[in-house]
Every structure is written in C-alpha cells, then in structure tokens.
Amino acid sequence: MATSPCSSSGVSSSSSSGLGADAGLEIRTRSVEQTLVPLVSQITTLINHKDKPKRSDKTLQAIQRVGQAVNLAVGRFVTVGEAIANENHELKEEMSVACIEARRAGETIAQLTDVANLDHPESDSHITIFTDKTGVVKAARLLLSSVTKVLVLADRIVIKQIITSRNKVLATMEQLEKVSSFQEFVQIFSQFGNEMVEFAHLTGDRQNDLKDEKKKARMAASRAVLEKCTMMLLTASKTCLRHPDCESARINKDGVFHRMRLALEQVIEIVTDSRPNGENEMAPISIYSGIKEFKNKVEGLRENLYFLSKENLSTMLEVILEHTEDFTDSAYTSHEHREHILELSKQAKMELEHLVSVWMQAQNQKTKDLMEDLEVAILKTCQCMNELKREVHSAATSLAADLLKYHTDHMVLKALKITGVEGNLEAVAEYTCKLSEQKEQLVEVCRLLRHVSGTEPLEITCIHAEDTFQVTGPQIISAAETLALHPSSKIAKENLEVFCEAWESQLSDMSMLLREINDVFEGRRGEKRVYLSLPRPGEQAKIAKLGLELHLLTSDVDSETEKWEDQENEIVQHGQGMSSMAYSMYLFTRGEGLLKTTQDLFHQAEIFATEGTKLASALHAFSDQVHDDDKPMLLLEAEKLISMCKQLQITAKSSVQGKSATFTKVDACILKTRNVMTLLCQLLPLCCKLLRKNKAGNGCLKAAPPWREDRIRTVTNVHSPERRAEAFGIKSLENHVTNMTFLESK
C-alpha cells in the first residue's frame, strides 16, 4: 500500500478568547498541542487587555513586553521552520508560505502593542491594540493558524522518517527471506537488528506522543508483535537454513515473516491515519459499550420523550442480547452463568416492553402519575441492564482466571519439548492436539473478555491477545514437529523454546489484562486526571518512565510469588502486598487509580516501606532455616532491604513546598520504590533456591521446570534516553515558543 505522510496531523482548537486555528488542520499529537499552549496564553492575555479601562504605565509596559516577546519568539520559530523547508523540498512551498504568514502576524502584533512610550495610546494618530481592537484579533488568528501549520508540517517529517525506516526494514526482511548461507544471513540480520532498533525508537516516541488512546493501544500491540517476532525470525530462519528440506520449518519461518509484515503495515496505518484501499475502520462492538449507550438513551427519556423511537431502543437491546449469545453458546461458560444470562435477557425484554408502554402513554398524556410510572420503568430497565453487565463480567473474568490458573504449569509445552527431543512423532502429535484445544479455549476467553473490557484501549488489547494465541499456537506446533523430525538439532530445540516463551509471555500479559479489566469494572481506574503537582510535560514524561519500570517490576514479582503453593507464607504475602502498592503508584503516574493526589502517593510510599521492613524481618526468621554457608548472603540482602526502606520512609515523610519541590519528592519516592522492587525481584527467587537446596520449605514451592533453570532472561532497557525528533523540527520549534515570558497578572 502506498502511504503518504501528508495526511498525518493538523489543528482544530480554540481558546476562550475566540481565537481559532485553521479548521482544515487537526492536532493529533501532544508535542504539537503542548508547543502551542504558551503562544495561546500570551495572545489570550493581549486580547483580554485590549478592552480593560485601566491602563497604568506598568500595564502598558507589560503589554509592550509581551508583544515584543511574541514577535521575537516567532522570528526564531520561523528561522527554524525555514531551515526545515530548505532541507525538505516536498514541503518547501507550504512551509515557506506558513513562515511568511507567521512572521507578518508577529510583526503586526509587535506594532499594535507598541504603546509604552505613548502619552495617549487611544490616539487616532497611532494605531494600537486599543484603537484597532479587531486588528489584533485578526493578527492573533493568523499567527495561531500559521504557527500550527508550521508545526504540523514539521510533524509530517517525523512521519516520513517512520515510513522510511519501515521501508528499510521491509527491504532487509526480503533479503533475509532469500538467503541460502549462514554467513550471509548473519551479516544481513545484523543490519536488520540495527534497523529494527531505530524503528522501535521512532515508533515508541510516536506512541507516547499520540493523543488518541485507542491509537496508542493499537500502536502498542503492533510494536509488541514486532519486538517478540524479531527473536522468532532469528531462530526460525536459522532452523530453516539448517534443515532446508523440512516443510514444517519452512511453514514456521513463513508465519513469522507474514506476521511481522502485518504489524509493520498497521504501524504505518496508525501514523498516517489511513486504511488500506480506503476502508473505514470498524470499531469493535462490545456488550459493555452497547449497554452504556442503551442506558444513556433510556435515561434521556427523562428530558425528552420524543428524541428517539421505540424501534430504535428495541433494536439496540436486540444487538446487546445477540452479543450475549457469545456467552450462552460458549462451551466454556458455566451452566449457572448461562442460566443467569438467559434469565436476565428475558427480563430485559420484559422491562423494555413495559417501559415502552408507559412511555407511549406519557407522550399522549403527560400526567404526574404517568411520569412517576415512567421514572420507575426507567430505573428498573437500567437496573436490569446493570445486572446483565455484572453477570457477563463475572462469567468472562471467572473463566479467564480459572483458565490462567490451570495453565500456569505449562505442562503441554514441557511435554512438547521432551517428546520433541526424543523424536517421538506420535507423542508430539498427541500434545499438539492438546495445545490446539488450549489455544481455542484462550481465544474464546479473549473474545468474551473483550465484551466486558470497559474501555476501547482494553478492547484492543483483548483483540491483540486473541490474535497472538491464534497465531502462536500453530507456530509452536510447526516448531515442535521440526524438532521431532530432527531431535539432535540444537537450533530446532532453541527455536521451539523461543515460541514457547512467547506463549508464556502472552499468558502473563493476559493475567495483567484481567487485572486491569477488573479495575475498570470496580471503578479503580477512572478518567485520566491532570496532576497539578507535576509542573511540566517533560517532567511528567520522566515520571511516566519510572512508572513504566514499576509496572514491569510488579509483573516480575507477581510471576515469582505465583510459584508458591503456600500463598499464606509470610514472605509471599509481604511480596504480594508490596507489588500491589507499587502497581497503585504506577497507576498514579498515568493519572489513574485510587491515589488521587501527591499526598496519597507519599502516604502509599510510607506504607510500602513499612511492608518492606516487615518482609526483612520475615527474611531474618527464614535465615534460621538455611545452612550456615547460605545464611550470610540472605542476611546481607535483608539488610539492604531495611536500608532502602528506611531511605524511602525518610523521603516520603519529608516536608516540601512548591511545585518543583513536590515534583522532586514524587520523583524520589517512585525511584526508591523502583529500587526496592528490583531488590525484591532478586530476593524471591533466592528464597526459592534456598528452600529447594535445604528442603526446608515444607512443600511451599512448586518444583521449578528443569528446562527453565538455565534460561537467560532478556529485559528491555527501560533506562534508555527518550529520543525526540530534534533534527526534524518539532523540538527546536517548541523551544522557541516556550521561551516566551508570561504577562504578569494585574
């Protein structure tokens, strides 16, 4: 599909002063939006002062300073824009026009605000902001429109870079598909790896910059596919080169290349806001969203009895009830849940029928009694829909939880590895059938979870999980068949390991997804809030990165604690408690969750530190059970934990004033929490190892799978610096605009 960066981004915004930018432009990224904020503030200040009756010398001087500051900043801004135009010929004409308009508007504002040295700024002899009130508004509108256009054009260059990077990756992938020797493959794959790293940086920045949460979720899903498929591509290609006549190896490799191409294409669709062959994107329809819309329509009858037809409401309910058939027809839904859903569906029809009857009567005769009857009918209908929503949520989440718990031991995957190495084709065939059944179960659960996910981004995550299980299952089977045909092949064994790890990773992601869905349903994750204690977007980005690290660490800790059979074990309980609190702090960095203010965060950090100290005490008690040669190592780690928790408590209890100091404290608390969680990730497996070694755990741990003991774990470098498009205009333009000084308040 041919893609063009020219359809990417633009502006559609206005301020309270009536300023509006070009209606043909729409801002789709936060960087462009945030760059415009100081400019809008400056101009709004000028507009608001043009009608003020009191004009002291101080006020006039301040107005002139602002006008000059705007003009100087626009001048620097335009200089950068012109440089960008000279380096990008396809945008030169549009960029040059926008720069000329911006410069002209800046100069006009400077002239209109040149009032400080005039005895009578209202004099007709000198046109000013006070004598030509419409002139400053026109100049302001032109300035906003032209500056926005320059920013949007600069943003197109970022999109162009992503497209160029994608094209490089595709070209190298084609070379990798055709290679016939290991030496050639190694050389080309090295180049491919570098290109994928660059593509990951560019798309990661773009994902963080997108305003649309739905697009961010789609981008995250596509990037996750590319990240996991890169390792798959390596081992699948090496296996195919080692066994060129093996059909299952070829099928395995082709599947990886196909999936990577689809993911690359989706990234480009997102950044260019386009669809293949001009198709419109079909929004996934869920029971949750259907019920929400239906209830809004029903409750709207209180205000207006005539704004929709009874047929409209009936059709909406029919669609919802059709979707409930995904639950009632599913072989995995329990008999109890199926019966409840059918009963509530029948009740919903009856409630709507009664509502429509009262509604029609109220349209003909609006008496007090009828309006009271209508209110009761509305309440009963909405209550029934709430109960239906609760029932399908319970059905989906309980099934998902049971399935995840059942598959935590990965018995089928382990059996495939063992029988593959043995070359037992018959046994491999038996276990591939079991894996196919498991895949169908997981795919079905993902479809049911989508209905109750609660938000569009989570719906997209459910769809991604479904696709991943759908694709990875057959890839594991082809990899296992290849190993069974070549049982002594180290590369075939490694290839199967990689695909099995991808399956396990998706199960872990699904566990996190289930927790987030429950959070939404229980109201623990509301609308995003702006935390005023975090002063600037750049600082918020820093906090967000630390939060992401916490998120990853909570997943690691949860994974370790789930290995313990005795969930009442003191070490496990403290570890789970600390993980839960760290997750709440991660949600705070996203403007979500139960922690509403920075004070809530600091209090949570104190409790977290206290829990860590209790864990250290439990470790001291546990050290009495281990051999003397192991005891010093465990005690050393426990002392580290105590020290780190004390530091966190001191930080959390410290008194600060002002936004900058508060931000610094937030940063320090999250950083120190992250450090404690990192240590916890090391402590839990250490205790696991010592329990096995000393046989003193009384069966509190599951046996570790032998094939995982020597596995090297690769962790994404979350400390890598944020890569911005400095060379492509946005950052440098942003710097010039944000340097403007705000008018002192009067």
Side-chain angles (χ1 to χ4, degrees):
M1 180 187 76
T3 53
S4 168
C6 297
S7 61
S8 65
S9 69
V11 105
S12 179
S13 63
S14 61
S15 70
S16 59
S17 62
L19 300 175
D22 192 334
L25 299 172
E26 179 190 352
I27 294 177
R28 297 194 178 99
T29 59
R30 298 185 190 281
S31 57
V32 172
E33 183 178 69
Q34 290 167 356
T35 301
L36 288 171
V37 168
L39 181 59
V40 172
S41 298
Q42 294 278 18
I43 293 174
T44 301
T45 300
L46 292 176
I47 300 300
N48 291 342
H49 272 75
K50 68 182 174 60
D51 295 321
K52 288 194 175 182
K54 292 183 179 180
R55 296 161 190 162
S56 65
D57 290 342
K58 190 175 181 181
T59 299
L60 295 175
Q61 289 170 4
I63 289 173
Q64 182 161 326
R65 283 201 306 273
V66 171
Q68 290 172 348
V70 168
N71 188 32
L72 288 171
V74 169
R76 292 190 293 268
F77 178 96
V78 166
T79 301
V80 177
E82 289 169 341
I84 292 171
N86 291 331
E87 294 170 7
N88 297 272
H89 296 291
E90 72 277 12
L91 299 177
K92 186 170 184 177
E93 185 175 347
E94 285 184 272
M95 183 72 88
S96 297
V97 170
C99 286
I100 291 170
E101 289 179 350
R103 194 186 294 277
R104 185 184 304 147
E107 290 171 351
T108 301
I109 286 174
Q111 291 170 4
L112 291 171
T113 56
D114 185 15
V115 294
N117 298 319
L118 296 177
D119 293 332
H120 301 285
E122 301 86 350
S123 171
D124 292 338
S125 62
H126 188 88
I127 298 174
T128 69
I129 187 174
F130 303 113
T131 59
D132 187 6
K133 296 175 181 179
T134 59
V136 73
V137 174
K138 289 179 181 177
R141 283 177 175 160
L142 178 61
L143 182 59
L144 278 178
S145 177
S146 54
V147 166
T148 302
K149 192 166 187 179
V150 171
L151 288 168
V152 169
L153 290 170
D155 191 55
R156 287 188 194 171
I157 298 165
V158 178
I159 294 168
K160 178 185 173 184
Q161 189 189 25
I162 293 174
I163 294 171
T164 302
S165 179
R166 185 280 308 258
N167 292 340
K168 285 182 185 177
V169 169
L170 279 177
T172 309
M173 280 176 62
E174 288 181 8
Q175 294 179 51
L176 284 172
E177 275 188 296
K178 297 173 184 176
V179 297
S180 55
S181 72
F182 270 104
Q183 185 177 0
E184 185 183 7
F185 174 81
V186 170
Q187 290 175 345
I188 297 174
F189 189 83
S190 176
Q191 175 188 339
F192 174 75
N194 291 332
E195 290 169 352
M196 282 300 297
V197 168
E198 180 62 22
F199 188 73
H201 281 309
L202 291 171
T203 54
D205 286 344
R206 193 66 182 180
Q207 178 184 321
N208 293 332
D209 202 18
L210 288 170
K211 290 171 60 183
D212 189 308
E213 293 297 322
K214 188 176 174 183
K215 287 181 181 176
K216 288 180 82 164
R218 289 179 62 214
M219 179 75 90
S222 298
R223 294 180 70 244
V225 169
L226 292 171
E227 181 184 346
K228 291 176 181 177
C229 280
T230 300
M231 181 55 72
M232 294 177 184
L233 185 144
L234 173 62
T235 57
S237 297
K238 285 167 65 179
T239 304
C240 222
L241 286 169
R242 179 70 70 192
H243 309 289
D245 299 325
C246 183
E247 179 68 9
S248 57
R250 185 192 61 77
I251 291 171
N252 184 257
K253 185 188 86 167
D254 289 349
V256 177
F257 276 92
H258 178 68
R259 195 166 185 224
M260 287 194 79
R261 286 194 173 96
L262 289 178
L264 287 166
E265 197 61 41
Q266 185 174 55
V267 168
I268 301 305
E269 288 174 18
I270 295 165
V271 298
T272 59
D273 203 33
S274 62
R275 301 288 292 174
N277 305 318
E279 299 172 8
N280 290 324
E281 183 182 355
M282 294 296 292
I285 301 169
S286 69
I287 292 174
Y288 186 99
S289 58
I291 288 177
K292 183 178 180 181
E293 185 180 358
F294 177 79
K295 283 175 58 185
N296 286 339
K297 296 291 186 184
V298 169
E299 290 171 340
L301 293 175
R302 294 185 177 112
E303 304 297 327
N304 189 339
L305 295 173
Y306 308 96
F307 79 104
L308 80 164
S309 66
K310 62 181 181 180
E311 290 79 15
N312 187 296
L313 268 186
S314 297
T315 301
M316 290 177 72
L317 182 61
E318 284 175 15
V319 171
I320 293 168
L321 298 185
E322 280 177 14
H323 287 315
T324 63
E325 292 174 6
D326 289 347
F327 288 80
T328 55
D329 293 347
S330 172
Y332 308 113
T333 302
S334 70
H335 176 72
E336 182 182 0
H337 280 306
R338 183 179 289 108
E339 288 300 309
H340 285 169
I341 292 169
L342 289 171
E343 288 172 11
L344 288 167
S345 298
K346 183 179 179 181
Q347 184 184 342
K349 290 179 181 177
M350 293 171 58
E351 296 294 357
L352 179 60
E353 189 177 325
H354 177 65
L355 171 65
V356 169
S357 175
V358 178
W359 173 24
M360 293 298 106
Q361 292 178 56
Q363 282 185 341
N364 296 326
Q365 191 177 2
K366 204 170 181 179
T367 66
K368 181 181 179 182
D369 288 345
L370 279 174
M371 293 309 295
E372 288 177 354
D373 290 345
L374 179 64
E375 177 64 23
V376 171
I378 289 172
L379 291 173
K380 290 180 72 174
T381 301
C382 290
Q383 182 182 351
C384 181
M385 298 310 292
N386 286 337
E387 290 175 4
L388 179 61
K389 183 172 78 169
R390 189 177 298 111
E391 190 63 33
V392 293
H393 176 271
S394 175
T397 55
S398 60
L399 176 60
D402 289 345
L403 199 58
L404 286 168
K405 186 177 181 180
Y406 181 74
H407 292 308
T408 49
D409 57 4
H410 307 300
M411 288 302 298
V412 174
L413 298 183
K414 284 188 269 189
L416 278 172
K417 293 170 187 176
I418 293 169
T419 54
V421 170
E422 292 172 348
N424 190 336
L425 288 167
E426 186 177 342
V428 166
E430 178 187 343
Y431 286 112
T432 56
C433 287
K434 291 184 178 180
L435 183 68
S436 294
E437 291 173 9
Q438 189 180 123
K439 180 205 74 174
E440 291 304 319
Q441 290 177 335
L442 290 166
V443 165
E444 181 82 356
V445 167
C446 290
R447 288 173 183 164
L448 298 183
L449 283 175
R450 180 176 64 79
H451 277 303
V452 301
S453 54
T455 68
E456 284 190 329
L458 288 180
E459 282 187 38
I460 290 165
T461 307
C462 290
I463 293 168
H464 167 66
E466 178 187 337
D467 291 343
T468 300
F469 286 125
Q470 196 76 269
V471 172
T472 310
Q475 288 179 317
I476 290 174
I477 291 170
S478 59
E481 289 172 348
T482 302
L483 178 58
L485 290 169
H486 307 278
S488 61
S489 172
K490 290 183 179 180
I491 182 56
K493 181 182 178 183
E494 181 190 357
N495 189 45
L496 178 58
E497 292 268 4
V498 167
F499 283 97
C500 287
E501 285 182 15
W503 183 272
E504 292 172 29
S505 173
Q506 189 55 53
L507 282 173
S508 177
D509 290 347
M510 190 173 173
S511 180
M512 181 67 71
L513 171 62
L514 180 60
R515 183 159 70 174
E516 291 187 350
I517 288 172
N518 282 324
D519 282 347
V520 169
F521 186 79
E522 298 296 335
R524 294 194 294 267
R525 177 178 171 180
E527 294 299 318
K528 290 188 181 295
R529 294 171 291 278
V530 176
Y531 285 72
L532 299 179
S533 296
L534 307 182
R536 295 194 181 103
E539 292 169 347
Q540 290 173 346
K542 183 181 178 184
I543 292 290
K545 285 183 179 180
L546 284 174
L548 177 59
E549 294 174 39
L550 271 186
H551 190 189
L552 297 171
L553 289 166
T554 57
S555 298
D556 292 341
V557 169
D558 290 346
S559 177
E560 291 296 336
T561 57
E562 284 169 6
K563 295 175 184 176
W564 296 62
E565 288 181 355
D566 180 12
Q567 291 294 304
E568 299 302 314
N569 183 284
E570 195 174 2
I571 293 174
V572 173
Q573 288 194 328
H574 289 311
Q576 289 173 338
M578 292 171 72
S579 177
S580 178
M581 285 184 270
Y583 185 73
S584 295
M585 295 171 78
Y586 151 69
L587 290 178
F588 173 87
T589 66
R590 293 177 50 157
E592 301 166 1
L594 293 174
L595 306 180
K596 310 294 184 187
T597 67
T598 51
Q599 287 305 315
D600 291 342
L601 178 76
F602 300 149
H603 182 60
Q604 182 78 96
E606 283 187 56
I607 300 172
F608 175 88
T610 301
E611 193 73 8
T613 304
K614 291 178 181 177
L615 173 59
S617 298
L619 292 173
H620 273 282
F622 172 60
S623 68
D624 293 335
Q625 304 174 31
V626 303
H627 294 155
D628 289 342
D629 55 342
D630 294 321
K631 192 169 183 176
M633 176 171 56
L634 184 59
L635 290 175
L636 178 63
E637 296 301 306
E639 288 304 316
K640 280 186 192 175
L641 181 60
I642 291 172
S643 175
M644 293 167 76
C645 288
K646 282 183 179 178
Q647 291 177 22
L648 176 56
Q649 277 190 324
I650 291 169
T651 301
K653 291 179 178 179
S654 64
S655 177
V656 294
Q657 290 183 341
K659 287 186 178 181
S660 295
T662 302
F663 162 74
T664 302
K665 182 175 174 180
V666 169
D667 181 43
C669 283
I670 295 177
L671 179 63
K672 289 177 180 179
T673 302
R674 183 202 70 184
N675 293 341
V676 172
M677 288 294 289
T678 302
L679 180 60
L680 185 56
C681 286
Q682 299 165 2
L683 276 168
L684 289 170
L686 173 63
C687 292
C688 167
K689 179 182 175 182
L690 293 178
L691 276 170
R692 285 202 307 267
K693 180 178 178 181
N694 294 275
K695 297 181 181 179
N698 297 319
C700 71
L701 266 181
K702 298 179 183 177
W707 57 271
R708 286 188 62 166
E709 287 183 359
D710 298 323
R711 185 176 69 178
I712 298 174
R713 187 173 180 197
T714 304
V715 181
T716 304
N717 179 12
V718 293
H719 299 286
S720 59
E722 184 179 10
R723 295 169 60 95
R724 298 297 299 153
E726 169 62 30
F728 298 90
I730 289 289
K731 193 68 177 178
S732 51
L733 292 172
E734 180 182 302
N735 287 339
H736 289 312
V737 174
T738 54
N739 281 336
M740 292 191 285
T741 308
F742 279 78
L743 177 65
E744 57 195 275
S745 59
K746 294 290 178 282

